[in-house]
Amino acid sequence: MAVTMADSEPGVPREAEPRRPKRAWRAWLIRLAVAASAGLLYYLSFAPRPLWWLAPIAFAAFALVLRGRKFRGGFGYGFVFGVAFFLTHLLWLQDFLGREFGPWPWLGLSVTLALYFGLGGFLITVVSRLPLAPLWGALAFIALETPRTWFPLGGFPWGRVGFSQPEGAFLSLASIGGAPLVGFAVVLTGFGLAALLARLWQTRHVRDRALVWPVAFTLVPVLAGLAVWPTIGTGAQDGSLTVATVQGNAPDLGIALQGQRGVLRDNSLAESARLLTDIRSGRVAKPDLLIWPETSTAIYGDDPALDQMVSAFGVPAVIGALVRRPDGQDENDAVVWDPRTGPGQRYTKQDLVPFGEYVPARALARLVTPFVDNTPEMRAGDGTNAALSAAGTKVGVFICYETAFDGPARDAVREGGELLVVPTNNAWYGPGEMSYQQLAMTRLRAVEHGRAAVVSATTGVSALIAPDGTITSSTGLFTADALVGRVPLRTATTLSDRLGAWTEYALLALAIAGVAGGVVLRFRTRRGRAGRTAGDTAD
């Protein structure tokens, strides 16, 4: 066997091949680190941080990781991106469920939701060879937010891209197409930026015609959002209303607070009494409508104490209550309480919290923890009375967790709601970021429907929100407090209201068409290569 000088001299490699696996390994680690960092960057774009502009940067980094990757790599890097995001974004689940269920709900849900991001990475590689690839990639990623509203656990849309934008250039687009359009604009900007950077790196020539579409994808969504802002109406169209919301506060016990509902009631009554004293002394204005947070009391029949409290204010109230119906079934309701006639119209929460208001697969969950039997089974509502008649107007109501779903707020406005009221019991979720994340969603809903919104929370954050998403006043976390303020009543419907779910369906249909086109293109390319190979063999 012949031996070359490269074989015999120490320190001189025989050939370049042995170095390639090392370089490939280093490149893989770098891409993995960038994918995880992109997930963390995406997390940082969410409330309570006002860093909405980090979201498109995170998606640009994610797109650069996927550039040139095969299907398996697309899924893997997408999954890593998702795990890094959801483990941080949903850390508040430990405050909610960790004391009784351990880390398993947090870990299990985070990993399950990360699979959607993995599938998103896979689909992005499928459409990567199509013309206008950033457009099809953004559509594919946003389209996967639709099945997330169905599965797991009856749907868990927390962490949708649009919810990272409670302020900034993209938020105004909610008035046109809701959360789906806002999210699509963010992802398209990020993917366009990635394509632009890659093209500049390849050509090193800023006048290259191939830059036109990447520049358009990067800038058009931002410019569109800025152009829509002047159309956002904030003025009163049917008068205005002075509203008061009571935040009674509660101890930080997580889901164990289920067994201490009397504390919520007592604290709400005490804070209402303090507010009434301030009103009678003239320190604050008398409200036209009083609001109590979600399940701030339990109602099992007549309630003289509530009758007396509402009568003392002399104005109607919307009371968030755990109501036991005559058939013995519990419901999570918002009840209109008249100062003369008592309880009347009510709205029943449709989208219940898994492990908080019902337990999915209770028999299996019991194998993990015996505490599962401490969680009641509530009955979900059917969507009726989404707009309650109170204080001479229609008050659109959706409760806590329902803020993450598009339907309840849309139903409230379609039924004539001129003001949005969001009772919530965030006492379950501790001092983490959940309350701020939910507040950000409500700010987007205000712009989406062109309505002022009142968030009434047991432990914070309670807030008054203008129709352009601006917070006009708010409370702190885990403090007893009350807010009183004037809010405009509005009747005009936005384009988003009129289009309804069709925007989401259109984006989904375009994504499906893009993926189908990507599959066909790859099939034809592979068949063409096979034909050329066969021809070369024949020659």
Side-chain angles (χ1 to χ4, degrees):
M1 179 177 179
V3 179
T4 65
M5 184 177 293
D7 292 322
S8 57
E9 290 187 13
V12 178
R14 289 181 296 178
E15 49 191 336
E17 280 74 6
R19 287 189 177 184
R20 289 176 183 171
K22 293 182 180 179
R23 288 200 297 268
W25 182 258
R26 286 196 298 269
W28 178 81
L29 284 178
I30 291 172
R31 287 192 294 268
L32 201 66
V34 173
S37 299
L40 294 175
L41 201 63
Y42 181 40
Y43 154 70
L44 291 174
S45 71
F46 281 78
R49 294 159 295 275
L51 304 177
W52 56 271
W53 45 271
L54 285 180
I57 295 176
F59 281 102
F62 178 49
L64 289 173
V65 168
L66 296 183
R67 192 170 182 82
R69 305 276 69 79
K70 296 181 179 179
F71 298 153
R72 184 174 62 182
F75 180 88
Y77 293 122
F79 179 72
V80 170
F81 176 62
V83 167
F85 169 65
F86 284 113
L87 283 178
T88 48
H89 187 64
L90 301 180
L91 188 59
W92 50 264
L93 277 172
Q94 280 298 91
D95 293 324
F96 175 37
L97 299 172
R99 304 176 195 187
E100 296 196 11
F101 295 91
W104 307 115
W106 167 58
L107 294 174
L109 182 59
S110 297
V111 169
T112 301
L113 295 175
L115 291 173
Y116 279 106
F117 281 33
L119 182 57
F122 172 84
L123 294 179
I124 290 166
T125 60
V126 170
V127 301
S128 62
R129 297 183 183 178
L130 289 174
L132 312 181
L135 172 67
W136 300 113
L139 285 167
F141 191 90
I142 286 298
L144 290 172
E145 292 190 339
T146 296
R148 270 220 287 140
T149 63
W150 310 331
F151 179 85
L153 308 174
F156 195 85
W158 221 268
R160 292 169 68 182
V161 181
F163 295 156
S164 68
Q165 305 296 305
E167 53 195 307
F170 300 102
L171 176 60
S172 64
L173 297 176
S175 66
I176 297 177
L181 183 61
V182 174
F184 171 66
V186 171
V187 179
L188 180 58
T189 296
F191 284 6
L193 178 60
L196 177 60
L197 293 174
R199 181 63 64 180
L200 288 173
W201 179 260
Q202 291 171 351
T203 64
R204 310 292 177 87
H205 199 292
V206 295
R207 294 182 180 179
D208 195 299
R209 290 183 179 181
L211 296 178
V212 173
W213 283 112
V215 169
F217 291 145
T218 303
L219 296 182
V220 168
V222 179
L223 296 176
L226 295 174
V228 171
W229 267 116
T231 70
I232 305 299
T234 59
Q237 296 173 318
D238 191 25
S240 56
L241 206 67
T242 300
V243 297
T245 179
V246 171
Q247 180 174 302
N249 201 22
D252 180 14
L253 300 176
I255 199 173
L257 195 62
Q258 290 273 25
Q260 299 194 30
R261 291 191 179 273
V263 174
L264 293 176
R265 176 187 174 88
D266 292 344
N267 290 356
S268 297
L269 285 170
E271 185 58 36
S272 296
R274 284 191 287 271
L275 174 60
L276 187 59
T277 300
D278 288 342
I279 292 170
R280 287 172 172 170
S281 68
R283 285 192 291 270
V284 298
K286 181 179 179 179
D288 302 307
L289 179 66
L290 177 68
I291 303 169
W292 268 26
E294 175 192 24
T295 59
S296 49
T297 186
I299 300 175
Y300 297 140
D302 294 335
D303 198 318
L306 279 180
D307 281 331
Q308 183 178 1
M309 185 272 295
V310 177
S311 295
F313 276 88
V315 299
V318 175
I319 303 293
L322 173 66
V323 177
R324 180 156 296 166
R325 305 302 299 162
D327 61 2
Q329 184 68 55
D330 288 339
E331 294 176 348
N332 187 338
D333 289 355
V335 183
V336 175
W337 208 285
D338 187 88
R340 294 180 299 276
T341 60
Q345 262 190 320
R346 73 179 190 278
Y347 167 76
T348 301
K349 188 176 184 179
Q350 305 171 61
D351 299 295
L352 301 179
V353 179
F355 299 102
E357 294 168 330
Y358 80 101
V359 178
R362 185 178 286 267
L364 292 177
R366 192 177 288 114
L367 298 177
V368 178
T369 172
F371 295 106
V372 69
D373 291 321
N374 295 340
T375 302
E377 285 286 336
M378 292 188 185
R379 179 167 56 199
D382 58 7
T384 57
N385 293 331
L388 300 170
S389 298
T393 188
K394 284 280 191 177
V395 178
V397 178
F398 49 99
I399 300 175
C400 193
Y401 184 51
E402 293 184 315
T403 312
F405 296 83
D406 295 336
R410 187 181 296 145
D411 293 343
V413 172
R414 284 181 172 175
E415 289 189 19
E418 298 182 355
L419 166 71
L420 299 178
V421 169
V422 190
T424 180
N425 183 0
N426 288 349
W428 292 357
Y429 305 102
E433 296 183 355
M434 182 273 181
S435 298
Y436 299 102
Q437 293 169 6
Q438 186 183 30
L439 179 62
M441 298 179 201
T442 306
R443 295 174 67 184
L444 182 140
R445 298 300 179 201
V447 176
E448 179 181 3
H449 302 293
R451 298 291 188 272
V454 181
V455 178
S456 180
T458 49
T459 56
V461 176
S462 299
L464 304 182
I465 302 170
D468 62 358
T470 303
I471 298 174
T472 58
S473 61
S474 62
T475 66
L477 279 176
F478 287 96
T479 57
D481 204 350
L483 295 177
V484 180
R486 197 87 177 157
V487 294
L489 301 178
R490 292 181 55 83
T491 56
T493 54
T494 63
L495 181 58
S496 179
D497 291 322
R498 295 190 287 274
L499 291 175
W502 286 108
T503 300
E504 182 179 15
Y505 297 155
L507 294 174
L508 181 61
L510 287 171
I512 292 172
V515 171
V519 171
V520 170
L521 178 62
R522 287 177 178 271
F523 176 76
R524 288 180 175 176
T525 301
R526 182 172 297 180
R527 189 170 62 176
R529 288 174 179 172
R532 287 194 298 271
T533 301
D536 293 342
T537 303
D539 291 341

